C-alpha cells in the first residue's frame, strides 16, 4: 500500500520531564514510520493577553489548524491574573470530552488484574463553571451548571465510542438523588441518546456506589454480598465496568481512581475531544521537576496517549503496533523505568520499545 | 464499681432487614450488660406535616430528648411531596458531622490489609443545599453552599476527634484548585482550627489525588513513583491516611470508597454528630428487602455503629468489649453470614458474638 500523506500534528512537550518523554514519542513514531510531522509549541514566558494565560495564541491556532495534538505535562506558573493552562486549553478549544482508557497492564502487577474500562468525562461545565461568589460574609456559593447541549454531546460521544470500539455497556455516573435538576438533566440526555443505541446496554450508577470499585472488581462475588449495595450495581457481570460517562467533577475523581487501580497516572493515557473533530491527547501526570533532565522519567502515559491520537486519526494499524510494543516491553520486564521498579533510563526504555516494533 | 444509671437511647430499627439486625444489637447489649434502655420508633405510614416526611415528629423528639440513638436502614418510600428520611434526619437534628471509622477486619481478607482511617464528612450543606433551578430551557444550575460556621464546626470536630482518639494526622480533602471560593473557605477554616492543635499534623489533599487510594495504600512504595502524583501525597507515611475531613459530597464519595476497601457497607459503622451533643449512629447499607425476615442478614455494620454510640457516651469499656467480640467472631470464621462467605444465620452469628463477651 502507498504511504499516506503526512499529517501535521501539534506537540506541546510541556515542562519538567515533558521534553524527555516527548522525545520518546518522536522516536517511537519514527521507528514505526507513523506519517506524522510535529509542529512544536512551548508554553510562553509571559501572559498572552489573547488567551489570558501563558499559552500563546499561536499554539492554540496550531491545534485549531491541525485538529490533532499531543500534550506533555505543563506546570501552571504560580501567580495571579492568568488562567490555568489546562482550563484554558479546554475552554479555548472547546474540548468537551475527556476520554481515558484504563486497563491492567499485562505483567505489571497491582491489586487488580481485570480492569478494562473507559471513562468519558464532560469537560467544559458542571462544577468547573468558574462561577462563585460570596453571598454574605462567611457564606460562599459555587454554581454547578449542566446544559442539555453539553450533556447530549458527551453522551453521544460515549455511545458512539462504545459502538465503534466493541464495547457493550455505558454506565452514566451521577448523584441525581441529591442534585435532581442538574444531574437529573444529565441523565435525561443520556437516556435520550441510549434509545438510539439499542445494542448498547445502558445503566445508571450513583457515584458513591460506583466508587466502591473494590467490590465491583471482585471476581468471585457472593451475590448475597450485593444486597448491601444499590440495585444499580446488580449488573450482569459485576466484575467489570465498561464505558462510564459522567459530569465533569465525577470524571475528575473517577478517572484518577481508575488510574490508581492499574498503577497510576504515569501509565494511563488521556485524550480530549473537541468540536470540529479536534483531538488533544495528553499525559495527565505532573511535570516531576525533581527528576527532569535526568533521563529517568517514564514516557508510558504520553506514549499511550499518542496511541489514542493515532486511533482518533484512524491509523489503527500503527496504533496497535505501537501499543503492543509498549505493553510487551513492560510485560517483558527487562527494561522498566524506576517508577515501575526497574532501573532503565528513559532512552533505554524507548529503545526497547522501538526494538519491539 | 456500681452500675451507672440507665441511659435512654432512641432506636429506629428501620425497614427490611432492619428489625432483625436491631434485635441482634439488643441481644449483644444485653449480654454485655450495657446500661441502655431502648425507646423504639418506626417510620410512619403517612407523611407527618411537621417533618414533611414519613418520619414522625415524635421520633425526632425522642432523639432530641435522649441525645443518642441508633438507626437501621430505612427505605425512603417512593412518591412525591415528601423529603428523604436520611436528609430529614440530618436537617431536623442538625447532624453536622458524619463519622465513619474504616479499618481492615482481622481475618476477613480483601485486597487491602492495612486500612485504618476515619472519614469525617460535613453533613449539612455543600452540594446538598437543595437549591437548584432552571436558568433557561436546557440550562440548570445547583448551588453548592459553604459557610464559615459549618466548616469550622466540622473541622473542630475532626481535630478534637483526632486528639482524643490518638490520631496523628488530619487531611482536608478538597478541590480548591477549581472551587477556590467554596472549597477555599473550607480549607481556610481547617487551617484556622489546625493552628489550635499543633500536635496534630495537618495536610490538604486534592480529591482526585486522594481517590487514587490504591497508590497510597501500597506498602512498599517506590518514592520515584510518587513523582507522578501531587506533592500533597508526599506524606511521611504514604501507606495510610489517618483522619480525613471534607465537604459533604466528597465525604459521600470517599466514605463509600473506603468502605469498599475493607469489605463494603455491610461491615462499616457510621455515626452522625449533631449540635447539643446529639449522636445518631447508623448502618448506611440498604434495607435488603429480598432477604428480609429470613434470618440471613449480617448485623455487623449496625453492631459496630452501636459501638461508636457507646464511645460517644464514653462507655469505653463496653465499647471495647463488644467490638472485640464482634471482630473475634468474624476473625475466627466459624460463624459468618452468607455475605462473608459463611452459612450462619443472623441469630447464630449474634449468639457467637455473645459467647465471646
Ligand atoms: C489540574 C486540575 C485543574 C485538573 C482538573 O481538575 O480537571 C486535573 O485534575 C485533571 O484531571 O486534568
Ligand atoms: C441515600 C443518600 C441520600 C445518602 C447521601 O447521599 O448522603 C447516602 O449515600 C449516604 O451516604 O448516607
Amino acid at each position: 500500500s502507498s504511504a499516506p500523506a503526512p499529517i501535521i500534528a501539534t506537540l506541546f512537550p510541556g515542562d519538567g520531564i515533558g521534553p524527555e518523554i516527548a522525545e520518546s514519542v518522536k522516536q517511537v513514531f519514527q521507528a514505526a514510520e507513523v506519517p506524522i510531522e510535529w509542529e512544536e509549541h512551548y508554553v510562553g514566558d509571559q501572559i498572552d493577553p489573547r488567551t489570558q494565560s501563558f499559552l500563546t495564541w499561536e499554539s492554540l491556532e496550531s491545534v485549531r489548524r491541525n485538529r490533532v495534538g499531543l500534550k506533555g505535562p505543563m506546570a501552571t506558573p504560580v501567580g495571579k491574573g492568568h488562567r490555568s493552562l489546562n482550563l484554558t486549553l479546554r475552554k479555548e478549544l472547546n474540548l468537551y470530552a475527556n476520554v481515558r482508557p484504563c486497563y491492567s497492564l499485562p505483567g505489571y502487577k497491582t491489586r487488580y488484574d481485570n480492569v478494562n474500562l473507559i471513562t468519558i468525562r464532560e469537560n467544559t461545565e458542571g462544577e468547573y463553571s468558574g462561577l462563585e461568589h460570596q453571598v454574605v460574609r462567611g457564606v460562599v456559593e459555587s454554581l454547578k451548571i449542566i446544559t442539555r447541549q453539553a450533556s447530549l454531546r458527551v453522551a453521544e460521544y460515549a455511545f458512539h465510542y462504545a459502538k465503534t470500539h466493541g464495547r457493550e455497556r455505558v454506565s452514566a455516573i451521577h448523584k441525581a438523588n441529591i442534585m435532581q435538576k442538574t444531574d437529573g438533566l444529565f441523565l435525561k440526555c443520556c437516556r435520550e441518546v441510549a434509545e438510539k443505541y439499542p445494542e448498547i446496554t445502558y445503566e445508571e450508577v450513583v457515584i458513591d456506589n460506583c466508587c466502591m470499585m473494590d467490590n465491583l472488581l471482585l471476581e468471585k462475588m457472593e451475590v448475597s454480598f450485593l444486597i448491601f449495595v444499590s440495585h444499580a450495581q446488580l449488573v450482569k457481570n459485576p466484575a467489570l465496568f465498561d464505558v462510564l460517562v459522567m459530569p465533569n467533577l465525577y470524571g475528575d475523581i473517577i478517572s484518577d481512581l481508575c488510574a490508581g487501580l492499574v498503577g497510576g497516572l504515569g501509565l494511563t493515557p488521556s485524550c480530549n475531544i473537541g468540536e470540529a473533530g479536534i483531538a488533544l491527547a495528553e499525559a495527565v501526570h505532573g511535570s516531576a521537576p525533581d527528576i527532569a533532565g535526568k533521563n529517568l522519567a517514564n514516557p508510558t502515559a504520553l506514549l499511550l496517549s499518542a496511541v489514542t491520537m493515532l486511533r482518533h486519526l484512524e491509523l489503527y494499524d500503527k496504533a496497535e503496533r505501537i501499543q503492543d510494543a509498549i505493553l510487551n516491553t513492560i510485560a517483558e520486564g527487562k527494561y522498566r523505568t524506576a517508577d515501575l521498579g526497574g532501573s532503565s533510563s528513559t532512552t533505554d526504555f524507548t529503545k526497547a520499545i522501538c526494538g519491539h516494533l
Side-chain angles (χ1 to χ4, degrees), chain A:
Chain A
S1 63
S2 69
I7 297 160
I8 303 179
T10 306
L11 178 62
F12 294 99
D15 312 311
I17 57 173
E20 294 160 85
I21 60 178
E23 186 56 37
S24 171
V25 172
K26 286 192 262 179
Q27 284 173 17
V28 171
F29 271 37
Q30 202 160 33
E33 295 175 359
V34 178
I36 280 188
E37 273 171 32
W38 297 107
E39 200 175 285
E40 280 190 43
H41 284 272
Y42 279 83
V43 176
D45 56 7
Q46 49 194 23
I47 296 172
D48 186 324
R50 292 165 298 177
T51 68
Q52 290 173 56
S53 87
F54 288 84
L55 284 173
T56 63
W57 185 254
E58 287 70 27
S59 67
L60 296 184
E61 279 299 304
S62 166
V63 184
R64 284 198 193 98
R65 188 173 54 242
N66 298 330
R67 298 244 190 87
V68 69
L70 180 67
K71 171 186 166 290
M74 289 179 183
T76 293
V78 181
K80 297 240 162 190
H82 66 88
R83 293 195 295 174
S84 130
L85 302 179
N86 282 315
L87 298 190
T88 303
L89 282 166
R90 291 177 202 169
K91 273 255 151 72
E92 294 291 333
L93 301 174
N94 209 348
L95 300 174
Y96 67 83
N98 176 243
V99 184
R100 301 209 202 164
C102 181
Y103 44 86
S104 303
L105 294 180
Y108 181 66
K109 210 178 140 39
T110 68
R111 287 185 168 81
Y112 304 84
D113 55 16
N114 60 344
V115 181
N116 180 10
L117 50 83
I118 313 281
T119 61
I120 298 183
R121 163 186 182 183
E122 200 294 318
N123 218 16
T124 65
E125 55 177 33
E127 303 76 358
Y128 286 63
S129 71
L131 300 168
E132 294 189 294
H133 67 278
Q134 176 174 303
V135 184
V136 294
R137 257 176 87 95
V139 179
V140 285
E141 61 186 33
S142 302
L143 295 187
K144 166 172 170 170
I145 310 282
I146 298 284
T147 67
R148 184 170 157 77
Q149 192 220 353
S151 304
L152 283 176
R153 185 171 61 173
V154 73
E156 183 62 56
Y157 187 85
F159 278 92
H160 180 76
Y161 186 101
K163 185 174 177 170
T164 53
H165 289 71
R167 299 277 175 170
E168 287 171 6
R169 193 166 66 233
V170 171
S171 311
I173 312 300
H174 68 95
K175 190 76 193 178
N177 49 342
I178 295 299
M179 282 163 281
Q180 300 181 357
K181 292 201 178 155
T182 47
D183 286 4
L185 175 58
F186 184 81
L187 290 183
K188 192 166 172 288
C189 292
C190 290
R191 283 176 209 151
E192 271 180 50
V193 176
E195 295 214 338
K196 298 197 290 170
Y197 292 84
E199 68 279 32
I200 307 285
T201 305
Y202 171 66
E203 62 169 7
E204 296 169 358
V205 182
V206 181
I207 177 149
D208 43 328
N209 290 329
C210 175
C211 287
M212 294 207 316
M213 290 287 252
D214 201 61
N215 291 339
L216 286 184
L217 291 163
L218 287 172
E219 266 149 300
K220 285 195 196 161
M221 179 179 275
E222 298 292 327
V223 174
S224 49
F225 193 68
L226 281 169
I227 58 166
F228 290 111
V229 296
S230 98
H231 182 71
Q233 291 183 314
L234 291 171
V235 290
K236 269 186 240 102
N237 174 6
L240 291 175
F241 273 120
D242 199 344
V243 176
L244 293 88
V245 63
M246 57 220 130
N248 212 337
L249 180 67
Y250 310 150
D252 183 49
I253 295 169
I254 289 187
S255 57
D256 274 24
L257 193 167
C258 292
L261 301 177
V262 301
L265 297 180
L267 297 173
T268 45
S270 168
C271 190
N272 296 289
I273 304 298
E275 278 184 342
I278 282 182
L280 181 63
E282 60 169 341
V284 289
H285 56 66
S287 59
D290 49 333
I291 60 156
K294 297 186 177 154
N295 200 13
L296 288 170
N298 183 350
T300 302
L302 193 65
L303 281 163
L304 291 176
S305 298
V307 167
T308 69
M309 195 188 90
L310 294 180
R311 290 225 174 79
H312 183 83
L313 292 168
E314 300 186 359
L315 297 173
Y316 296 113
D317 287 354
K318 301 285 183 198
E320 288 307 315
R321 247 183 94 208
I322 294 176
Q323 177 167 328
D324 285 352
I326 300 164
L327 299 188
N328 287 336
T329 304
I330 294 172
E332 231 176 56
K334 206 167 145 197
Y335 295 96
R336 280 187 184 174
T337 46
D339 55 306
L340 301 187
S343 60
S344 291
S345 63
T346 309
T347 44
D348 284 347
F349 178 68
T350 304
K351 269 186 214 136
I353 294 169
C354 293
H356 271 88
L357 282 167

